Amino acid sequence: MIHSIEMINKSPLLPNVTLGYEIYDTCGDVTMAIKTALKFMEDQRDSFENCFPLRSDYSNYESNVKAVIGESYSEISIAVARLLTIALIPQISYSSTSEVLSTKSKFPSFLRTIPSDAHQTKAIALLAVNERWNSIGVIGSNDEYGKYGIEGFIDHATKYKLCIAFKEILPALFSQNDTETRSVLNNLMKTIDESSAEAVLIFTKDANVQIIIEEAKAVHFIT
């Protein structure tokens, strides 16, 4: 991102305009992302430091930040979008695919450079049909991305007459050293083992997927 901005500034692409940037790591945490979004929304003309003033008219509102790139996770993008929508600061995500974010009445200033789950879930269902996987197991996390993702897929699966072998909703965040996670994983592996699923679809964060895959390897489901 930094390299791209610096290359644009050195090029004649935007004459007499220099792009600046502020970069913050939200660490995948909603609270940290909200704090950062509030900082982006500061009105530089206001005398109160680190305070976003509540207004009834935003027609002349001027923020120091003209656009926000991110977040990657849908859950965090939704939280940030609710704030940035107040002042209509454009938010562009490169990774958040939740179909909820396509609702312009709720998120008018949110945009993305990746298709929403409405397209991805349909494509996955068509892939299952093409591969003749008649029975599919679905796993989703307990957040906006996971819940809406698997529900969208199930809708398409029903349309194409695919069988849903099982549906599991898991915690949004895993920890390999957590006792509760260990119990959840054990139950999940048992569900997969006893199901008729020919394929398993997972809608959750990549870190969670890695834990699930490692557990499946440990019990010899995959190699």
Side-chain angles (χ1 to χ4, degrees), residues 5 35 37 54 64 79 100 129 131 136 139 146 154 162 168 172-174 177 180-181 185 187 208 210-211 222:
I5 292 174
K35 288 180 179 179
L54 298 176
N64 187 46
V100 175
V129 171
E131 296 295 329
I136 312 293
I139 302 171
I154 290 174
L162 299 172
E168 291 287 331
L173 291 175
F174 282 176
N177 300 321
E180 183 180 351
T181 299
L185 287 173
N187 291 334
N208 295 344
Q210 182 176 352
I211 294 175
I222 59 177

Side-chain angles (χ1 to χ4, degrees), residues 88-102:
L88 290 179
I89 296 177
Q91 176 187 354
I92 306 169
S93 174
Y94 47 85
S95 180
S96 297
T97 59
S98 176
E99 192 174 352
V100 175
L101 288 163
S102 298

Side-chain angles (χ1 to χ4, degrees), residues 57-191:
D57 180 10
Y58 288 88
S59 57
N60 295 317
Y61 175 77
E62 292 183 9
S63 169
N64 187 46
V65 175
K66 302 305 180 185
V68 174
I69 308 298
E71 232 302 316
S72 56
Y73 296 133
S74 294
E75 179 186 12
I76 300 178
S77 283
I78 289 171
V80 170
R82 294 188 190 280
L83 289 175
L84 299 182
T85 289
I86 296 174
L88 290 179
I89 296 177
Q91 176 187 354
I92 306 169
S93 174
Y94 47 85
S95 180
S96 297
T97 59
S98 176
E99 192 174 352
V100 175
L101 288 163
S102 298
T103 309
K104 284 301 179 182
S105 60
K106 292 183 178 180
F107 308 106
S109 61
F110 178 84
L111 306 108
R112 54 183 157 208
T113 59
I114 185 173
S116 77
D117 290 333
H119 303 286
Q120 297 194 49
T121 52
K122 181 179 181 180
I124 294 171
L126 289 172
L127 173 64
V129 171
N130 185 68
E131 296 295 329
R132 298 182 180 179
W133 297 331
N134 296 315
S135 182
I136 312 293
V138 291
I139 302 171
S141 50
N142 189 24
D143 54 28
E144 286 82 356
Y145 173 68
K147 290 186 291 186
Y148 285 103
I150 64 173
E151 289 303 325
F153 172 77
I154 290 174
D155 288 343
H156 290 299
T158 301
K159 177 181 177 182
Y160 295 115
K161 299 181 179 180
L162 299 172
C163 173
I164 302 301
F166 63 85
K167 182 178 84 170
E168 291 287 331
I169 303 296
L170 307 181
L173 291 175
F174 282 176
S175 173
Q176 289 179 306
N177 300 321
D178 183 65
T179 303
E180 183 180 351
T181 299
R182 174 51 49 192
S183 176
V184 168
L185 287 173
N186 288 339
N187 291 334
L188 177 60
M189 294 301 114
K190 181 179 179 181
T191 298

Side-chain angles (χ1 to χ4, degrees), residues 3-15:
H3 174 73
S4 298
I5 292 174
E6 290 179 346
M7 291 300 293
I8 291 172
N9 285 337
K10 293 177 181 179
S11 75
L13 186 62
L14 297 175

